[in-house]
Amino acid sequence: MNEIHQRVAEDIPVLTVCDREGDFYEFFSNAADLGENFLIRLVQNRMVDDGKKIFHELHQSPVAGSMVVRMGRNPKEHIPARNVKMDYHYKEVVVHCPKRRTEKHIREKLVLTAIYVHESGKKGTEWFLLTTVRVKNEKDIEKLIQCYAHRWKIERFHFILKSGCK
């Protein structure tokens, strides 16, 4: 993230989108220090300010809206590309630095927006996302969800470059 911050002009907005490999607090803190925005899929069920776990908090929050997300095909499971109706919930949360991290340069806590996205009315695709983007309304949430959904296209492009083009 430091390299991107140094190379991109200040007037160009940057949103770093990561899958579960980006779910580590040091990354969150570094982004906040640089004033950069991120959107990350959570793997860890983090503790939030009220002493509860973030996944539980999002499950208990009311559905804020629904939208259709275009899902790419999944060749491993033989699932074709399709449009999926997704419900979403969101909530501002305070995430604390893990107790195991004692470095002075890491922020003690961060105010972030947590988003829970899942297929409407059935078990299926679900994402727990965390972002630094300040959300004003449901349109902001829907833009973030679409950004995350586009991440798959970029991953596929990189796969083709690495494996097909060597």
Side-chain angles (χ1 to χ4, degrees), residues 55-67:
F55 295 171
H56 176 76
E57 287 287 289
L58 288 167
H59 276 291
Q60 298 302 314
S61 65
V63 172
S66 297
M67 63 185 288

Side-chain angles (χ1 to χ4, degrees), residues 4 12 22 26 72 93 95 124 159:
I4 293 169
I12 297 175
E26 296 79 359
V93 295
V95 178
F159 172 78

